Amino acid sequence: MKILFVSSEVAPFEKTGGLADVAGALPIALAQLGMDIRVAMPGYSTITYPGNGSLPVLPFMDVQVGSETYAANVSAGNLPGSPVPVYFIHNAALFNRNGLYQENGKDYPDNAQRFAFFCRAVLWLIKGLNWTPDIIHCNDWPTALLPIFLRTDPAVQDDADLNAIKTVYTIHNLAYQGLFPPETAAAIGLAPELVTPSSMEFWGSISFMKGSLLLSDILTTVSPTYAKEIQTQEFGCGLDGVLRDRASDLYGILNGIDYSQWNPEVDSFIPALYSSEDMAGKIQCKAELQKELGLKEAPQVPLLVVISRLDPQKGLDILLPLIPRLMEENLQLAILGTGMPEYEKAIAADAAKHKGRMAAIMKFNNALAHKMEAGADMFLMPSQFEPCGLNQLYSLRYGTLPVVRRTGGLADSVEQITDDSSAGSGFIFDEYTSKALLAAIHQALALYNDTDSWRRAQIRAMEQDFSWTASAKRYGDLYSKLL
Ligand code: ADP
């Protein structure tokens, strides 16, 4: 089976969120199932990892996007530690920037052009390589145009190879749909009949995602619960009707995590390794983390952490009002995140008020994210909605018990610890309120004081298996079904 996996971000090359983790790990797991799988991503100038910028694998080529012509070239590398090829598609004017999609909180005004170029260039890459995949697997709005070009572009319809390619489209987050003014359609070479309510038109805009939801052969999203939720008005972001119409082609597959990166037994970022059998290293990780974050070195005081994009999705509107109340308890709190300036400001101000007990790190820092997973006792994830969520899965593996809201992938991966604490891996609340979150934190704090029960819950959490193997098999089954 030949699969081309296409993503706007792929770890470790470039990452803004969970999509990159998936795109860096799932293809390796699929390759281990015997597939000929390759990855394509934009050749951002910010990528420093070896591979990007290596010798071009194809000669320069003109790629037409609407009336504009862009020069494209391709370099190649591999997903680290694997034979999976990665093709980086370059165009200096479009991808030599400081950010992936935005800068200083503002989306680039030519994002439609940038990703239309990327999607068209992928088709040219396929022709240039003389390697036609059976399936192109696209992800989120930046690659949503690919199935649309494949199914509607007259030049593609004349090309028997391209025409035969099937498509899988994965929704990692329905809230980001790639909405652009309707005149964008002509600018990127889409036929006028696509700008209608039964096609890509969406409340006066065009929606890349809507087009792909209509035209891809199979749709997936990243957890079974989110697959159901997005068919409701509450979670459907205006596309629930489209998704209900395609319910028989929509599948929810929980993301796995990459245990070669996120595992306290091998993690090269943390000061001491540990496992469910020998937790001594976790104590050292906590001490070092408290020191690094300027928190009081207090081994017995529970340390709660948040690692998150600072966006309303992540539950900050119920968490931030709770901080003064939490500071009345015997606990420490550390928040690592970047995002909306008002959240950053509020968190930094709280941390300044509670020096030694609360830390705010308003940066994107992968090494610190690892150290926080290892050094903390509890992980807070009070998301309003959460397609899958990775941090709760990392937390389980690091014995950092998660406190989560029952939604999306959080509901599918964390099990409530029972009253007699004989089963379960974390603490779950339902209502999207500060009060419900506080009640769940209180449960966690109570169990923390019962050292033996806490230890047993940590072991249960750490011994769960969320590796990619099982999820990759499900994708493999879907691919087979499609072919
Ligand atoms: P989302 O994709 O919605 O942002 P996920 O939980 O699926 O949420 O994935 C987030 C990923 O980004 C995780 O790997 C997490 O560790 C990482 N991350 C988020 N914010 C930061 C940050 N400030 N510094 C380091 N890593 C971060």
Side-chain angles (χ1 to χ4, degrees):
M1 223 186 280
K2 289 186 286 180
I3 313 289
L4 183 61
F5 194 93
V6 186
S7 176
S8 56
E9 47 186 278
V10 180
F13 302 110
E14 225 358 314
K15 163 170 170 176
T16 70
L19 167 61
D21 293 291
V22 175
L26 173 59
I28 295 178
L30 289 167
Q32 282 160 358
L33 294 177
M35 292 176 206
D36 176 4
I37 180 157
R38 309 182 185 192
V39 177
M41 72 176 291
Y44 306 105
S45 57
T46 44
I47 299 173
T48 51
Y49 209 87
N52 183 45
S54 62
L55 282 180
V57 294
L58 291 173
F60 267 95
M61 172 90 184
D62 284 343
V63 175
Q64 192 77 24
V65 181
S67 56
E68 299 278 335
T69 306
Y70 298 93
N73 73 321
V74 180
S75 59
N78 285 79
L79 286 179
S82 84
V84 177
V86 184
Y87 300 108
F88 302 92
I89 298 181
H90 303 267
N91 174 279
L94 300 177
F95 294 124
N96 289 14
R97 310 233 173 137
N98 294 322
L100 266 58
Y101 319 108
Q102 50 170 245
E103 221 166 300
N104 303 323
K106 278 226 166 93
D107 286 346
Y108 292 122
D110 58 349
N111 272 347
Q113 284 285 336
R114 296 171 74 225
F115 291 99
F117 159 80
F118 174 62
C119 291
R120 287 223 176 255
V122 167
L123 297 178
W124 155 76
L125 170 74
I126 290 169
K127 298 308 290 179
L129 290 173
N130 201 12
W131 177 84
T132 308
D134 301 306
I135 294 173
I136 300 183
H137 188 150
C138 301
N139 298 278
D140 272 354
W141 76 263
T143 52
L145 286 173
L146 246 171
I148 300 169
F149 289 148
L150 258 186
R151 293 295 170 252
T152 64
D153 191 288
V156 173
Q157 307 319 301
D158 295 341
D159 184 313
D161 288 341
L162 292 180
N163 216 353
I165 298 173
K166 303 270 192 226
T167 53
V168 172
Y169 181 71
T170 298
I171 305 161
H172 296 260
N173 194 335
L174 192 63
Y176 302 95
Q177 299 180 2
L179 294 179
F180 298 95
E183 53 274 19
T184 311
I188 60 175
L190 292 174
E193 57 268 24
L194 290 171
V195 194
T196 58
S198 61
S199 187
M200 291 175 72
E201 199 269 345
F202 185 78
W203 301 103
S205 296
I206 56 162
S207 163
F208 287 7
M209 191 176 268
K210 186 181 172 198
S212 211
L213 295 180
L214 291 166
L215 291 170
S216 299
D217 295 311
I218 279 193
L219 309 176
T220 76
T221 188
V222 289
S223 69
T225 296
Y226 193 61
K228 283 188 214 128
E229 286 173 342
I230 56 178
Q231 297 178 53
T232 66
Q233 206 178 357
E234 185 186 353
F235 293 93
C237 301
L239 292 175
D240 43 297
V242 176
L243 288 160
R244 280 194 301 276
D245 285 347
R246 297 226 50 199
S248 59
D249 300 315
L250 170 62
Y251 300 84
I253 302 176
L254 195 71
N255 284 337
I257 62 172
D258 182 354
Y259 286 129
S260 73
Q261 298 291 319
W262 293 93
N263 177 355
E265 292 174 43
V266 298
D267 190 329
S268 55
F269 291 112
I270 64 179
L273 302 179
Y274 61 93
S275 68
S276 60
E277 273 132 49
D278 179 5
M279 297 280 277
K282 188 163 176 72
I283 297 168
Q284 196 187 330
C285 288
K286 181 171 176 179
E288 301 262 344
L289 180 65
Q290 286 172 321
K291 206 185 297 172
E292 178 172 350
L293 298 182
L295 297 169
K296 214 167 141 232
E297 280 177 64
Q300 309 301 339
V301 176
L303 171 52
L304 284 61
V305 299
V306 175
I307 303 168
S308 180
R309 280 187 297 117
L310 301 178
D311 180 276
Q313 174 199 337
K314 299 295 181 180
L316 294 151
D317 295 327
I318 63 170
L319 176 63
L320 298 195
L322 207 55
I323 290 177
R325 175 71 188 75
L326 288 178
M327 287 294 115
E328 291 169 15
E329 309 266 352
N330 180 33
L331 58 77
Q332 296 180 343
L333 176 65
I335 302 182
L336 168 65
T338 55
M340 282 173 47
E342 52 269 46
Y343 289 139
E344 291 194 9
K345 233 182 268 163
I347 294 168
D350 278 329
K353 220 181 290 166
H354 301 283
K355 272 218 168 86
R357 303 203 37 226
M358 177 176 168
I361 314 91
M362 305 293 90
K363 294 197 179 115
F364 195 95
N365 184 334
N366 184 49
L368 183 57
H370 284 253
K371 289 188 248 181
M372 286 172 70
E373 285 289 4
D377 297 298
M378 297 163 205
F379 193 95
L380 305 183
M381 211 157 162
S383 305
Q384 201 173 9
F385 66 94
E386 193 60 73
C388 175
L390 294 172
N391 276 308
Q392 84 281 12
L393 301 176
Y394 302 152
S395 300
L396 290 169
R397 179 47 63 113
Y398 284 80
T400 301
L401 299 190
V403 177
V404 305
R405 184 157 172 267
R406 195 188 313 277
T407 183
L410 300 174
D412 292 332
S413 56
V414 178
E415 259 175 83
Q416 172 65 38
I417 294 177
T418 52
D419 288 343
D420 65 356
S421 69
S422 64
S425 56
F427 307 89
I428 311 181
F429 64 100
D430 288 276
E431 246 179 78
Y432 187 65
T433 60
S434 300
K435 193 171 155 216
L437 168 59
L438 181 63
I441 293 175
H442 276 150
Q443 269 186 38
L445 294 173
L447 193 74
Y448 183 79
N449 287 327
D450 174 355
T451 316
D452 287 343
S453 299
W454 185 263
R455 178 81 185 85
R456 281 197 297 274
Q458 282 180 306
I459 293 173
R460 284 196 301 272
M462 294 173 80
E463 291 185 346
Q464 288 195 53
D465 182 7
F466 289 101
S467 60
W468 270 108
T469 319
S471 308
K473 222 183 136 294
R474 288 204 190 98
Y475 280 104
D477 291 344
L478 270 189
Y479 294 160
S480 303
K481 192 171 153 181
L482 181 58
L483 295 176

